[in-house]
Amino acid sequence: MQLPIHLIASSIDADLYHFELAHKQPRVAYIQRKAACIDPLLRILGARNSAYTERIRWQPLADLREEEYAAEIRAASIFLNLSTAEGFPTSCVEAMASGTVVAGFDGVGGRDLLRHGENCILAPTGDYVTLAYTLAPLLDNLLNGGAAAWKELRENGFKTAAPLTAESETRSLVQFWQSVL
């Protein structure tokens, strides 16, 4: 159709989403409204190893101000993406900027940002059985204090989030409005 195309960049608030190793806890955070499969997932994980559900805190995120949400993301060791469809996986990138390892469904959208085994751990969307098996090694590491094994995932997550600055968002908005006006 030969229409102009404009990409408006997103940004991650570095004041809210940043890495604080000292605050990391044995916690898995997930967005409550996107967690339709959390109960069967926890049953599978608990059957495999009861410590997964007894010694690790599973923190649903709901009805929080952004400052509270960001504090939960910074404190969590793992962010569980249970969304089946995302246009842009903002919550995953916020977690990456916070040094929180992302695991979950591959979803629809965001595939150019979420790369299994490189900056996150993914299972096919809706397949909570595969997700449980994929998540188990991360949970084992968390229980054994072996989060150092996640260094590469965490570092690649930082690299994924790094370009999403307020400056790049501002630049893209200015370019858009200059082209329109």
Side-chain angles (χ1 to χ4, degrees):
M1 294 175 46
Q2 298 184 358
L3 297 172
I5 297 171
H6 303 280
L7 177 63
I8 307 297
S10 293
S11 66
I12 302 300
D13 186 339
D15 292 333
L16 293 174
Y17 303 98
H18 53 273
F19 183 47
E20 297 177 348
L21 181 60
H23 292 105
K24 290 293 180 194
Q25 299 174 15
R27 183 183 302 179
V28 178
Y30 59 93
I31 298 174
Q32 178 68 44
R33 66 183 167 79
K34 298 181 179 184
C37 73
I38 195 70
D39 291 333
L41 176 64
L42 290 175
R43 279 195 303 275
I44 292 168
L45 288 168
R48 181 177 176 130
N49 182 344
S50 62
Y52 293 163
T53 56
E54 294 170 2
R55 292 184 34 215
I56 296 171
R57 181 174 168 190
W58 293 78
Q59 181 65 46
L61 305 176
D63 301 322
L64 300 172
R65 293 185 342 268
E66 186 171 11
E67 294 80 13
E68 297 167 323
Y69 173 85
E72 290 289 343
I73 294 296
R74 289 192 312 270
S77 294
I78 299 170
F79 176 76
L80 189 57
N81 177 34
L82 297 173
S83 179
T84 57
E86 290 288 335
F88 183 83
T90 302
S91 56
C92 294
V93 180
E94 290 167 342
M96 288 176 181
S98 302
T100 303
V101 172
V102 173
F105 294 141
D106 57 6
V108 176
R111 289 196 174 123
D112 54 331
L113 292 175
L114 303 179
R115 294 176 302 279
H116 175 68
E118 186 177 324
N119 64 3
C120 61
I121 302 297
L122 299 174
T125 296
D127 184 352
Y128 57 85
V129 174
T130 298
L131 178 58
Y133 283 97
T134 303
L135 194 55
L138 289 177
L139 300 176
D140 287 332
N141 287 339
L142 187 58
L143 289 170
N144 298 319
W150 308 348
K151 184 178 181 192
E152 188 174 341
L153 281 175
R154 186 176 279 138
E155 292 296 324
N156 287 333
F158 291 145
K159 289 175 187 172
T160 300
L164 304 176
T165 64
E167 294 79 17
S168 66
E169 182 177 39
T170 299
R171 226 178 1 264
S172 70
L173 284 167
V174 167
Q175 289 172 350
F176 167 74
W177 284 112
Q178 285 174 338
S179 72
V180 170
L181 302 174

